[in-house]
Short mmCIF file of all heavy atoms in Angstrom, two decimals:
data_model
loop_
_atom_site.label_atom_id
_atom_site.label_comp_id
_atom_site.label_asym_id
_atom_site.label_seq_id
_atom_site.Cartn_x
_atom_site.Cartn_y
_atom_site.Cartn_z
N SER A 164 20.70 -9.10 -8.47
CA SER A 164 20.58 -8.45 -7.23
C SER A 164 21.09 -9.32 -6.05
O SER A 164 21.30 -8.76 -4.92
CB SER A 164 18.99 -8.20 -6.86
OG SER A 164 18.55 -7.34 -7.85
N THR A 165 21.37 -10.54 -6.19
CA THR A 165 21.86 -11.43 -5.11
C THR A 165 23.35 -11.29 -4.93
O THR A 165 23.84 -11.73 -3.92
CB THR A 165 21.54 -12.93 -5.39
OG1 THR A 165 22.15 -13.29 -6.53
CG2 THR A 165 20.06 -13.21 -5.51
N HIS A 166 23.97 -10.54 -5.78
CA HIS A 166 25.44 -10.52 -5.81
C HIS A 166 26.08 -9.41 -5.02
O HIS A 166 27.26 -9.29 -4.88
CB HIS A 166 26.03 -10.42 -7.24
CG HIS A 166 25.73 -11.64 -8.05
ND1 HIS A 166 25.27 -11.58 -9.36
CD2 HIS A 166 25.72 -12.99 -7.75
CE1 HIS A 166 25.06 -12.83 -9.75
NE2 HIS A 166 25.27 -13.65 -8.78
N TYR A 167 25.24 -8.42 -4.50
CA TYR A 167 25.79 -7.36 -3.71
C TYR A 167 24.75 -6.76 -2.79
O TYR A 167 23.56 -7.10 -2.87
CB TYR A 167 26.23 -6.23 -4.70
CG TYR A 167 25.13 -5.86 -5.67
CD1 TYR A 167 24.19 -4.75 -5.44
CD2 TYR A 167 24.99 -6.47 -6.88
CE1 TYR A 167 23.15 -4.52 -6.22
CE2 TYR A 167 24.01 -6.12 -7.84
CZ TYR A 167 23.12 -5.24 -7.46
OH TYR A 167 22.04 -4.93 -8.32
N GLU A 168 25.30 -5.89 -1.89
CA GLU A 168 24.35 -5.28 -0.93
C GLU A 168 23.97 -3.86 -1.62
O GLU A 168 24.74 -3.37 -2.39
CB GLU A 168 25.21 -4.87 0.40
CG GLU A 168 25.82 -6.03 1.04
CD GLU A 168 24.74 -6.85 1.78
OE1 GLU A 168 23.99 -6.25 2.60
OE2 GLU A 168 24.76 -8.10 1.64
N GLY A 169 22.85 -3.35 -1.08
CA GLY A 169 22.44 -2.03 -1.58
C GLY A 169 21.01 -1.86 -1.36
O GLY A 169 20.25 -2.72 -0.82
N MET A 170 20.47 -0.61 -1.69
CA MET A 170 19.04 -0.41 -1.53
C MET A 170 18.20 -1.37 -2.35
O MET A 170 18.49 -1.63 -3.52
CB MET A 170 18.72 0.99 -1.92
CG MET A 170 17.22 1.38 -1.72
SD MET A 170 16.76 2.98 -2.27
CE MET A 170 16.74 2.87 -4.03
N GLN A 171 17.17 -1.88 -1.81
CA GLN A 171 16.23 -2.71 -2.50
C GLN A 171 15.05 -1.99 -2.93
O GLN A 171 14.30 -1.43 -2.17
CB GLN A 171 15.86 -3.96 -1.58
CG GLN A 171 14.92 -4.90 -2.21
CD GLN A 171 14.67 -6.17 -1.56
OE1 GLN A 171 15.56 -6.66 -0.85
NE2 GLN A 171 13.43 -6.77 -1.61
N VAL A 172 14.83 -2.07 -4.32
CA VAL A 172 13.64 -1.50 -4.83
C VAL A 172 12.71 -2.59 -5.25
O VAL A 172 12.99 -3.51 -5.96
CB VAL A 172 13.96 -0.64 -6.14
CG1 VAL A 172 12.66 -0.14 -6.83
CG2 VAL A 172 14.89 0.46 -5.83
N ASN A 173 11.49 -2.55 -4.71
CA ASN A 173 10.45 -3.54 -4.98
C ASN A 173 9.33 -2.89 -5.96
O ASN A 173 8.80 -1.88 -5.62
CB ASN A 173 9.75 -3.99 -3.77
CG ASN A 173 10.77 -4.46 -2.70
OD1 ASN A 173 11.46 -5.37 -2.94
ND2 ASN A 173 10.77 -3.89 -1.53
N VAL A 174 9.31 -3.37 -7.11
CA VAL A 174 8.30 -2.83 -8.06
C VAL A 174 7.03 -3.78 -8.03
O VAL A 174 7.13 -4.97 -8.33
CB VAL A 174 8.85 -2.88 -9.50
CG1 VAL A 174 7.79 -2.35 -10.48
CG2 VAL A 174 10.10 -1.97 -9.56
N CYS A 175 5.95 -3.26 -7.57
CA CYS A 175 4.65 -3.96 -7.58
C CYS A 175 4.04 -4.01 -8.93
O CYS A 175 3.71 -2.94 -9.45
CB CYS A 175 3.66 -3.37 -6.53
SG CYS A 175 4.32 -3.40 -4.85
N PHE A 176 3.97 -5.14 -9.50
CA PHE A 176 3.45 -5.21 -10.93
C PHE A 176 2.46 -6.36 -10.95
O PHE A 176 2.77 -7.48 -10.53
CB PHE A 176 4.65 -5.39 -11.90
CG PHE A 176 4.26 -4.82 -13.21
CD1 PHE A 176 4.69 -3.60 -13.57
CD2 PHE A 176 3.59 -5.60 -14.12
CE1 PHE A 176 4.37 -3.03 -14.90
CE2 PHE A 176 3.26 -5.01 -15.41
CZ PHE A 176 3.60 -3.79 -15.69
N ASN A 177 1.28 -6.11 -11.55
CA ASN A 177 0.19 -7.05 -11.44
C ASN A 177 0.04 -7.50 -9.98
O ASN A 177 -0.09 -8.66 -9.69
CB ASN A 177 0.42 -8.35 -12.32
CG ASN A 177 -0.87 -9.11 -12.51
OD1 ASN A 177 -2.03 -8.55 -12.33
ND2 ASN A 177 -0.80 -10.35 -12.91
N TYR A 178 -0.01 -6.45 -9.14
CA TYR A 178 -0.04 -6.67 -7.74
C TYR A 178 -1.35 -6.12 -7.16
O TYR A 178 -1.88 -5.11 -7.52
CB TYR A 178 1.06 -5.80 -7.04
CG TYR A 178 0.97 -5.85 -5.53
CD1 TYR A 178 1.64 -6.85 -4.77
CD2 TYR A 178 0.25 -4.95 -4.87
CE1 TYR A 178 1.43 -6.92 -3.38
CE2 TYR A 178 0.03 -4.95 -3.52
CZ TYR A 178 0.67 -5.94 -2.78
OH TYR A 178 0.49 -6.11 -1.36
N GLY A 179 -1.90 -6.96 -6.18
CA GLY A 179 -3.02 -6.52 -5.44
C GLY A 179 -2.94 -7.00 -4.06
O GLY A 179 -2.45 -8.13 -3.86
N GLY A 180 -3.15 -6.25 -3.00
CA GLY A 180 -2.96 -6.62 -1.63
C GLY A 180 -3.77 -7.86 -1.25
O GLY A 180 -3.37 -8.82 -0.59
N ARG A 181 -5.07 -7.80 -1.77
CA ARG A 181 -5.92 -8.89 -1.38
C ARG A 181 -5.45 -10.23 -2.07
O ARG A 181 -5.44 -11.28 -1.51
CB ARG A 181 -7.45 -8.69 -1.75
CG ARG A 181 -8.05 -7.64 -0.85
CD ARG A 181 -9.43 -7.48 -1.18
NE ARG A 181 -10.15 -6.70 -0.24
CZ ARG A 181 -11.45 -6.32 -0.24
NH1 ARG A 181 -12.19 -6.91 -1.26
NH2 ARG A 181 -12.07 -5.72 0.69
N ASP A 182 -5.15 -10.02 -3.37
CA ASP A 182 -4.58 -11.19 -4.14
C ASP A 182 -3.35 -11.82 -3.44
O ASP A 182 -3.26 -13.00 -3.37
CB ASP A 182 -4.28 -10.65 -5.53
CG ASP A 182 -3.81 -11.73 -6.46
OD1 ASP A 182 -4.54 -12.67 -6.77
OD2 ASP A 182 -2.61 -11.80 -6.88
N GLU A 183 -2.49 -10.90 -3.03
CA GLU A 183 -1.30 -11.36 -2.37
C GLU A 183 -1.65 -12.28 -1.02
O GLU A 183 -1.12 -13.32 -0.87
CB GLU A 183 -0.48 -10.23 -1.91
CG GLU A 183 0.80 -10.57 -1.22
CD GLU A 183 1.59 -9.27 -0.72
OE1 GLU A 183 1.02 -8.30 -0.38
OE2 GLU A 183 2.81 -9.45 -0.74
N ILE A 184 -2.65 -11.78 -0.37
CA ILE A 184 -3.02 -12.49 0.96
C ILE A 184 -3.63 -13.80 0.57
O ILE A 184 -3.41 -14.88 1.21
CB ILE A 184 -4.00 -11.60 1.79
CG1 ILE A 184 -3.10 -10.38 2.38
CG2 ILE A 184 -4.51 -12.32 3.04
CD1 ILE A 184 -3.93 -9.23 2.98
N VAL A 185 -4.55 -13.84 -0.45
CA VAL A 185 -5.19 -15.06 -0.83
C VAL A 185 -4.13 -16.05 -1.29
O VAL A 185 -4.20 -17.23 -0.89
CB VAL A 185 -6.29 -14.84 -1.92
CG1 VAL A 185 -6.69 -16.05 -2.63
CG2 VAL A 185 -7.45 -14.06 -1.40
N ARG A 186 -3.13 -15.61 -2.12
CA ARG A 186 -2.11 -16.60 -2.58
C ARG A 186 -1.26 -17.11 -1.44
O ARG A 186 -0.95 -18.26 -1.39
CB ARG A 186 -1.15 -15.81 -3.50
CG ARG A 186 -1.74 -15.62 -4.95
CD ARG A 186 -0.97 -14.75 -5.81
NE ARG A 186 -1.74 -14.40 -6.91
CZ ARG A 186 -1.78 -15.22 -8.08
NH1 ARG A 186 -0.99 -16.28 -8.04
NH2 ARG A 186 -2.50 -15.04 -9.07
N ALA A 187 -1.01 -16.22 -0.45
CA ALA A 187 -0.21 -16.71 0.68
C ALA A 187 -1.08 -17.73 1.42
O ALA A 187 -0.52 -18.70 1.87
CB ALA A 187 0.07 -15.48 1.58
N ALA A 188 -2.38 -17.50 1.57
CA ALA A 188 -3.24 -18.49 2.31
C ALA A 188 -3.24 -19.75 1.59
O ALA A 188 -3.11 -20.85 2.19
CB ALA A 188 -4.61 -17.87 2.48
N GLN A 189 -3.34 -19.72 0.27
CA GLN A 189 -3.33 -20.95 -0.50
C GLN A 189 -1.98 -21.68 -0.36
O GLN A 189 -2.03 -22.89 -0.19
CB GLN A 189 -3.47 -20.64 -2.01
CG GLN A 189 -4.94 -20.27 -2.42
CD GLN A 189 -5.05 -19.79 -3.82
OE1 GLN A 189 -3.97 -19.31 -4.42
NE2 GLN A 189 -6.23 -19.79 -4.44
N ALA A 190 -0.97 -20.97 -0.38
CA ALA A 190 0.38 -21.68 -0.23
C ALA A 190 0.57 -22.29 1.15
O ALA A 190 1.01 -23.33 1.25
CB ALA A 190 1.49 -20.57 -0.51
N PHE A 191 0.02 -21.52 2.17
CA PHE A 191 0.25 -22.10 3.47
C PHE A 191 -0.78 -23.37 3.60
O PHE A 191 -0.36 -24.36 4.16
CB PHE A 191 -0.28 -21.02 4.53
CG PHE A 191 -0.22 -21.63 5.92
CD1 PHE A 191 1.01 -21.85 6.59
CD2 PHE A 191 -1.36 -21.87 6.64
CE1 PHE A 191 1.02 -22.35 7.85
CE2 PHE A 191 -1.35 -22.41 7.85
CZ PHE A 191 -0.14 -22.66 8.53
N ALA A 192 -1.98 -23.28 3.10
CA ALA A 192 -2.84 -24.45 3.08
C ALA A 192 -2.24 -25.64 2.37
O ALA A 192 -2.39 -26.79 2.92
CB ALA A 192 -4.24 -24.07 2.47
N ALA A 193 -1.63 -25.33 1.27
CA ALA A 193 -0.99 -26.45 0.53
C ALA A 193 0.14 -27.12 1.33
O ALA A 193 0.29 -28.29 1.36
CB ALA A 193 -0.38 -25.90 -0.80
N ASP A 194 0.87 -26.27 2.09
CA ASP A 194 1.96 -26.84 2.91
C ASP A 194 1.41 -27.67 4.09
O ASP A 194 1.96 -28.68 4.49
CB ASP A 194 2.89 -25.70 3.48
CG ASP A 194 3.82 -25.23 2.48
OD1 ASP A 194 4.02 -25.85 1.40
OD2 ASP A 194 4.64 -24.20 2.77
N CYS A 195 0.17 -27.22 4.62
CA CYS A 195 -0.45 -27.90 5.61
C CYS A 195 -0.90 -29.32 5.12
O CYS A 195 -0.66 -30.40 5.71
CB CYS A 195 -1.65 -27.18 6.23
SG CYS A 195 -1.12 -25.75 7.18
N ALA A 196 -1.51 -29.30 3.90
CA ALA A 196 -2.01 -30.48 3.30
C ALA A 196 -0.86 -31.42 3.01
O ALA A 196 -1.09 -32.71 3.09
CB ALA A 196 -2.76 -30.11 2.05
N ALA A 197 0.28 -30.92 2.68
CA ALA A 197 1.45 -31.81 2.44
C ALA A 197 2.17 -32.24 3.79
O ALA A 197 3.23 -32.87 3.69
CB ALA A 197 2.44 -31.04 1.55
N GLY A 198 1.65 -31.77 4.92
CA GLY A 198 2.23 -32.21 6.15
C GLY A 198 3.40 -31.38 6.54
O GLY A 198 4.06 -31.69 7.45
N LYS A 199 3.74 -30.30 5.74
CA LYS A 199 4.98 -29.46 6.09
C LYS A 199 4.64 -28.46 7.15
O LYS A 199 5.62 -27.94 7.76
CB LYS A 199 5.41 -28.82 4.85
CG LYS A 199 5.98 -29.75 3.74
CD LYS A 199 6.72 -29.05 2.66
CE LYS A 199 6.13 -29.35 1.32
NZ LYS A 199 6.45 -28.33 0.36
N LYS A 200 3.37 -28.14 7.31
CA LYS A 200 3.04 -27.10 8.27
C LYS A 200 1.83 -27.47 9.10
O LYS A 200 0.99 -28.30 8.62
CB LYS A 200 2.70 -25.75 7.55
CG LYS A 200 4.02 -24.97 7.00
CD LYS A 200 4.55 -24.17 8.20
CE LYS A 200 5.76 -23.28 7.76
NZ LYS A 200 6.85 -23.82 7.07
N ASP A 201 1.74 -26.85 10.28
CA ASP A 201 0.57 -27.18 11.18
C ASP A 201 -0.15 -25.96 11.31
O ASP A 201 0.31 -24.91 11.80
CB ASP A 201 1.18 -27.67 12.54
CG ASP A 201 0.03 -27.88 13.48
OD1 ASP A 201 -1.08 -27.71 13.27
OD2 ASP A 201 0.54 -28.21 14.65
N PRO A 202 -1.54 -25.93 10.94
CA PRO A 202 -2.43 -24.70 11.07
C PRO A 202 -2.23 -24.04 12.43
O PRO A 202 -2.25 -22.82 12.62
CB PRO A 202 -3.85 -25.19 10.82
CG PRO A 202 -3.62 -26.44 10.05
CD PRO A 202 -2.32 -27.01 10.44
N ALA A 203 -2.13 -24.94 13.49
CA ALA A 203 -2.13 -24.43 14.91
C ALA A 203 -0.87 -23.55 15.18
O ALA A 203 -0.90 -22.78 16.01
CB ALA A 203 -2.21 -25.60 15.84
N GLN A 204 0.11 -23.70 14.28
CA GLN A 204 1.31 -22.99 14.52
C GLN A 204 1.50 -21.66 13.64
O GLN A 204 2.56 -21.10 13.60
CB GLN A 204 2.53 -23.87 14.33
CG GLN A 204 2.74 -24.72 15.61
CD GLN A 204 3.56 -25.96 15.37
OE1 GLN A 204 4.06 -26.13 14.26
NE2 GLN A 204 3.70 -26.72 16.41
N LEU A 205 0.33 -21.33 12.99
CA LEU A 205 0.41 -20.18 12.08
C LEU A 205 0.45 -18.88 12.98
O LEU A 205 -0.44 -18.67 13.84
CB LEU A 205 -0.82 -20.11 11.20
CG LEU A 205 -0.80 -19.02 10.23
CD1 LEU A 205 0.31 -18.97 9.24
CD2 LEU A 205 -2.09 -18.89 9.44
#
Side-chain angles (χ1 to χ4, degrees):
S164 300
T165 59
H166 297 135
Y167 51 89
E168 302 284 308
M170 181 180 73
Q171 177 168 327
V172 176
N173 306 303
V174 177
C175 296
F176 209 94
N177 195 20
Y178 173 88
R181 286 186 172 182
D182 181 64
E183 177 183 35
I184 292 169
V185 168
R186 282 167 190 278
Q189 284 172 339
F191 178 72
D194 278 353
C195 290
K199 293 191 237 163
K200 284 279 186 305
D201 173 1
Q204 281 161 4
L205 183 62

